């Protein structure tokens, strides 16, 4: 059960794009969730809940509980302080032929726990019922939800109140001051999840935000993560760039103050040890000209693509919305391309 190989006001100008066309890759084979088959990091022994069935093993860096089946395959990974969990399930493929030849095929399903994980929670009353149900669940997980907004085309979905809560998303309104469609500012930033929805939103602290009519159907990079993880998956949201309960507004604030735990700390350098990552982690980038260490972009890590490259999914201007493609830079964390060079940190929510 493992992977087979899923114009800005008072803001600095982004640096020039290193590449302007989508990269082409050929068929290959690589594993995305298989990193945890036999463990990664330091093991602290395992305890079986039923002989011959499941074993719960403690690993470190980061502290987590790995659930294994009788054949030793990984069934799930629960990370201390995080509400996101990765469970093994039916294999799925994610692709976007409009912008890349790459495909991500994975058996990783990213779910949200009712509580942040702590060591020993597998013994709690709620866990067994939740886990058995989650393992059998093939309803939309975080990946499936994220692709309900693909800029390559996703069907509209409306709730009982008539709100279009899913469908093709775009990045932002057209910035008339920029002529090159591959420029990062060709479509404007500052569109949050409630702009996509077109409805006002009241946050837990009582503050109320109003959508802009011109931004209906739009989400920038952090707005997209708030749309998926907050509005759809139920994590708390707040409307500042400071500490608070849940996801703050901008990418740098999510990296610094978001829930869960950092799995790759921000050290002002491109990380090269990527084995700690797991599907669903938020990844952060410094891509502003003359500010090489300021986090100003974020995405969702998907795992390895069919070439064995670490691929992510984010809302970007060149694709005009959520993409795993390669317009204006490949959606890769490894190597020397634009986003890989700007990659700085990762957080597990």
């Amino acid at each position: 059960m493992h992977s087979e190989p899923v114009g800005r006001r008072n803001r600095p100008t982004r640096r020039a794009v290193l590449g302007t066309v989508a990269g082409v890759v050929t068929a290959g084979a690589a594993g995305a969730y298989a990193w945890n088959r036999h463990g990664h990091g330091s093991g602290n022994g395992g305890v079986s809940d039923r002989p011959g069935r499941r074993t719960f093993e403690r690993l470190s860096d980061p502290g987590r509980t790995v659930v294994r089946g009788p054949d030793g395959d990984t069934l799930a990974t629960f990370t201390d302080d995080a509400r996101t969990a990765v469970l093994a399930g039916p294999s799925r493929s994610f692709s976007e032929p409009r912008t890349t030849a790459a495909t991500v095929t994975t058996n990783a399903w990213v779910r949200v726990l009712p509580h942040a994980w702590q060591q020993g929670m597998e013994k709690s009353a709620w866990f067994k019922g939740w886990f058995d149900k989650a393992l059998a669940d093939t309803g939309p997980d975080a990946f499936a939800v994220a692709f309900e907004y693909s800029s390559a085309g996703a069907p509209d979905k409306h709730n009982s109140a008539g709100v279009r809560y899913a469908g093709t998303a775009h990045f932002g309104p057209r910035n008339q001051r920029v002529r090159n469609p591959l420029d990062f500012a060709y479509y404007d930033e500052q569109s949050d999840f409630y702009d996509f929805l077109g409805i006002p939103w009241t946050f837990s602290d009582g503050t109320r935000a109003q959508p802009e009519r011109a931004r209906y159907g739009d989400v920038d990079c952090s707005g997209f993560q708030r749309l998926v993880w907050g509005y759809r998956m139920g994590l708390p949201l707040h409307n500042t760039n400071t500490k608070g309960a849940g996801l703050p507004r901008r990418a740098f604030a999510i990296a610094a103050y978001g829930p869960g735990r950092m799995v790759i700390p921000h050290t002002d350098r491109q990380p090269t040890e990527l084995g700690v990552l797991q599907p669903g982690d938020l990844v952060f980038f410094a891509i502003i000209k003359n500010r090489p260490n300021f986090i100003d972009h974020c995405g969702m890590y998907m795992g390895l693509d069919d070439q064995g490259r670490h691929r992510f999914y984010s809302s970007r201007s060149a694709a005009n919305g959520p993409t795993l493609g390669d317009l204006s830079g490949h959606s890769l964390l490894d190597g020397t391309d634009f986003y890989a060079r700007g990659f700085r940190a990762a957080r597990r929510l």
Side-chain angles (χ1 to χ4, degrees):
M1 296 183 68
H2 295 283
S3 305
E4 301 163 14
V6 185
R8 202 164 30 165
R9 184 177 302 173
N10 297 324
R11 299 283 300 280
T13 302
R14 295 178 184 271
R15 66 184 181 230
V17 179
L18 297 181
T20 59
V21 297
V24 178
V25 296
T26 57
Y33 188 43
W35 67 273
N36 209 9
R37 175 179 173 86
H38 298 297
H40 176 87
S42 302
N44 297 321
V47 177
S48 175
D49 65 338
R50 292 186 186 179
R53 293 194 65 188
R54 298 172 186 161
T55 299
F56 296 87
E57 181 179 1
R58 283 294 297 177
L59 299 176
S60 58
D61 300 322
R64 62 200 186 280
T65 301
V66 176
V67 188
R68 305 195 192 281
D71 57 359
D73 281 357
T74 298
L75 298 181
T77 302
F78 303 99
T79 301
D80 295 354
D81 303 322
R83 284 186 60 185
T84 55
V86 179
L87 286 72
S91 182
R92 303 168 292 171
S93 292
F94 297 90
S95 61
E96 192 180 310
R98 181 175 70 99
T99 60
T100 184
T103 299
V104 175
T105 301
T106 180
N107 75 333
W109 291 64
V110 184
R111 301 287 183 189
V112 173
L113 292 161
H115 316 282
W117 185 261
Q118 297 299 330
Q119 182 175 354
M121 271 192 169
E122 67 273 15
K123 301 174 184 177
S124 61
W126 65 267
F127 177 77
K128 178 174 171 49
W130 180 92
F131 187 47
D132 289 343
K133 183 177 179 180
L135 277 178
D137 187 5
T138 56
D141 71 329
F143 280 174
V145 167
F147 276 81
E148 290 183 359
Y149 302 94
S150 172
S151 60
D156 287 351
K157 296 184 179 182
H158 296 81
N159 63 21
S160 59
V163 175
R164 186 179 76 116
Y165 69 87
T168 304
H170 299 299
F171 187 78
R174 174 75 172 85
N175 184 347
Q176 299 299 328
R177 294 173 296 177
V178 178
R179 301 301 180 190
N180 182 357
L182 296 182
D183 191 293
F184 286 107
Y186 190 73
Y187 294 101
D188 194 31
E189 288 188 315
Q190 303 179 30
S191 297
D192 203 355
F193 71 97
Y194 52 82
D195 291 306
F196 174 88
L197 299 169
I199 59 174
W201 193 265
T202 301
F203 292 89
S204 57
D205 64 358
T207 60
R208 188 169 176 83
Q210 295 288 339
E212 294 184 33
R213 184 182 298 272
R215 297 180 181 277
Y216 176 68
D218 299 341
V219 276
D220 64 17
C221 66
S222 53
F224 177 52
Q225 299 305 326
R226 282 157 63 87
L227 181 63
V228 172
W229 294 105
Y231 178 73
R232 292 294 302 279
M233 304 300 290
L235 292 181
L237 296 165
H238 64 95
N239 205 31
T240 74
N241 293 311
T242 59
K243 292 182 179 180
L247 289 171
R249 172 62 183 99
R250 288 182 54 191
F252 79 88
I254 297 174
Y257 309 123
R261 68 186 309 168
M262 295 295 287
V263 291
I264 296 180
H266 182 10
T267 62
D268 296 341
R269 297 187 302 273
Q270 177 187 353
T272 56
E273 296 297 326
L274 305 183
V276 70
L277 290 171
Q278 71 178 27
D281 288 350
L282 294 195
V283 288
F284 300 92
F285 305 83
I287 57 173
I288 297 179
K289 183 179 181 180
N290 300 326
R291 298 185 70 182
N293 298 313
F294 179 73
I295 299 296
D296 196 45
H297 187 69
C298 61
M300 181 189 299
Y301 178 63
M302 297 194 66
L304 302 184
D305 64 18
D306 54 356
Q307 288 290 290
R309 304 294 298 278
H310 294 269
R311 190 161 288 270
F312 68 94
Y313 187 61
S314 69
S315 185
R316 310 215 297 262
S317 176
N320 194 17
T323 180
L324 60 75
D326 299 324
L327 292 178
S328 293
H330 293 65
S331 296
L332 299 172
L333 302 180
D334 56 315
T336 59
D337 196 63
F338 179 75
Y339 284 100
R341 288 172 57 185
F343 177 43
R344 290 293 180 270
R347 175 176 288 278
R348 190 163 300 159
L349 297 177

